[in-house]
Amino acid sequence: MAQARQAVRQVSRKREKQRNLQYVQEYKPVKEGIRYLRVLLCGPVGAGKSSFINSVSNVLRERITIPAVASAAISDKSFTTQYETHKFSKGRGKSAEFYPVVFNDIMGLEDGNETGVHPDDIKLALEGHVKEGHKFNPFSQLTKDDPGYNQNPSADDRVHVLVSVISANAPRINPSFLEKMRSIRKTASDLKIPQMAIMTHIDAACGEIEKDLKNVYKSKHLKKKIKDFSATLGIPINCIFPVKNYSEEIDLNDDVDFLILSALKKMVDFGDDFIERNC
Ligand SMILES: Nc1nc2c(ncn2[C@@H]2O[C@H](COP(=O)(O)OP(=O)(O)O)[C@@H](O)[C@H]2O)c(=O)[nH]1
Ligand SMILES: [Mg+2]
């Protein structure tokens, strides 16, 4: 009996995954002049931002793809705070194009002004004022005369959804990170940009989840983590999505995909609402 119930659950999860996959693969912004729905991932070094972007690439393209962003050389890579848009190719050869959902990531929020991107620069990024390829300087903010400053951002240079990225395995959230994140979230709220969060490393944080990702909604430990995070950052619990990123896997896995897709679908929905109302 229990086995039969489990089998039914498994089938319905697979269906939901397939539905969400099709939904994000087929998504297109309907507003004229908007080619891209832009998601900005924001969080400390090592939280799993690059891995999430790679995971989205794997899920959308339905195979393990070569990482667009390497995470191995963490010491150098993480501090090259260049503003770069990550796109995912759709189709192959001559007919290749890009999915309309694109990602930027900004890191190093937790280390004071020595390595992190200044919150004011992140605010400029939200409004689309940061040009592609601009290298953030933690010691001096981007100004209007800078070549990296985009004077006239188009509607798709702007950020359409802000996602905080946090590791479930971090012992505590750094207070200086929290303060900066709050100030960025305030700006995003003023701009009416929708906000949500993903909690990564859920496998590393909880043995039960590591054994079976399907235990994600049963884990008391994770529930508490999400509740605490919601309280400190002020993001509602239902806008915090637990994910396990692809890191060492050789093949795709339905349970990993399921969580990535739940988060991704929400990003698309939130971003699309913003585009509809404000662009
Ligand atoms: N176990 C596990 N490892 C992860 C997860 N997400 C990222 N990692 C690993 O954590 C490290 C930092 O991730 P990375 O994506 O580079 O973080 P970033 O600095 O935020 O871009 C890398 O070694 C990843 O393989 C996850 O969900 N689970
Ligand atoms: Mg990274």
Side-chain angles (χ1 to χ4, degrees):
M1 191 63 186
Q3 245 172 356
R5 259 205 306 270
Q6 203 178 351
V8 170
R9 266 203 299 269
Q10 189 82 1
V11 169
S12 80
R13 276 167 68 89
K14 200 160 176 122
R15 269 203 208 117
E16 187 177 336
K17 183 208 119 165
Q18 225 34 61
R19 238 192 348 258
N20 285 348
L21 177 62
Q22 196 178 352
Y23 181 86
V24 293
Q25 280 177 330
E26 290 174 0
Y27 170 77
K28 263 200 184 89
V30 289
K31 277 270 164 101
E32 195 145 324
I34 299 205
R35 291 159 303 164
Y36 300 118
L37 183 157
R38 189 177 299 276
V39 181
L40 180 66
L41 303 180
C42 220
V45 170
K49 298 178 295 299
S50 303
S51 305
F52 182 74
I53 293 171
N54 292 332
S55 301
V56 169
S57 170
N58 292 344
V59 171
L60 281 178
R61 303 184 63 201
E62 298 182 70
R63 62 187 172 94
I64 299 284
T65 51
I66 298 170
V69 229
S71 60
I74 209 165
S75 53
D76 285 353
K77 252 310 216 218
S78 298
F79 299 117
T80 320
T81 45
Q82 198 167 13
Y83 198 62
E84 192 186 348
T85 302
H86 302 284
K87 298 177 186 165
F88 313 107
S89 48
K90 183 181 192 175
R92 300 173 67 206
K94 281 210 178 90
S95 59
E97 42 178 322
F98 291 110
Y99 283 102
V101 182
V102 301
F103 285 79
N104 288 80
D105 68 319
I106 280 185
M107 55 224 151
L109 273 167
E110 85 273 46
D111 286 325
N113 282 338
E114 283 125 54
T115 55
V117 173
H118 195 284
D120 287 350
D121 280 358
I122 301 180
K123 292 171 187 172
L124 289 176
L126 291 176
E127 293 172 306
H129 285 300
V130 181
K131 275 195 188 159
E132 185 74 14
H134 170 69
K135 277 203 180 101
F136 291 105
N137 182 344
F139 301 106
S140 90
Q141 287 156 244
L142 184 60
T143 61
K144 287 199 166 80
D145 316 315
D146 220 299
Y149 188 92
N150 181 356
Q151 304 279 356
N152 297 306
S154 67
D156 56 9
D157 289 329
R158 292 166 68 182
V159 169
H160 306 123
V161 51
L162 173 67
V163 180
S164 308
V165 185
I166 195 89
S167 164
N169 203 28
R172 68 184 187 115
I173 308 174
N174 186 312
S176 113
F177 161 74
L178 271 181
E179 201 181 304
K180 285 182 190 172
M181 204 58 228
R182 274 200 205 104
S183 132
I184 294 159
R185 279 180 27 77
K186 163 92 180 46
T187 306
S189 300
D190 293 344
L191 295 167
K192 300 194 169 65
I193 297 173
Q195 297 162 46
M196 54 179 280
I198 51 173
M199 189 169 262
T200 59
H201 290 85
I202 54 170
D203 52 322
C206 172
E208 288 303 303
I209 298 178
E210 190 179 20
K211 245 190 273 164
D212 186 352
L213 259 190
K214 285 190 273 300
N215 288 331
V216 60
Y217 299 111
K218 287 188 209 149
S219 164
K220 287 207 178 77
H221 177 63
L222 188 67
K223 212 175 252 174
K224 183 170 181 318
K225 278 263 171 191
I226 290 180
K227 208 171 141 202
D228 290 350
F229 182 53
S230 163
T232 26
L233 209 58
I235 297 181
I237 287 177
N238 63 359
C239 293
I240 303 175
F241 288 76
V243 297
K244 185 233 169 297
N245 285 320
Y246 278 107
S247 47
E248 289 151 357
E249 290 78 359
I250 297 165
D251 295 309
L252 291 184
N253 172 309
D254 270 341
D255 296 330
V256 173
D257 288 358
F258 182 86
L259 295 175
I260 301 280
L261 275 166
S262 303
L264 184 60
K265 177 170 189 290
K266 195 66 157 189
M267 290 172 201
V268 169
D269 281 343
F270 273 13
D272 192 60
D273 279 350
F274 178 77
I275 289 172
E276 278 282 305
R277 284 189 208 139
N278 301 290
C279 292

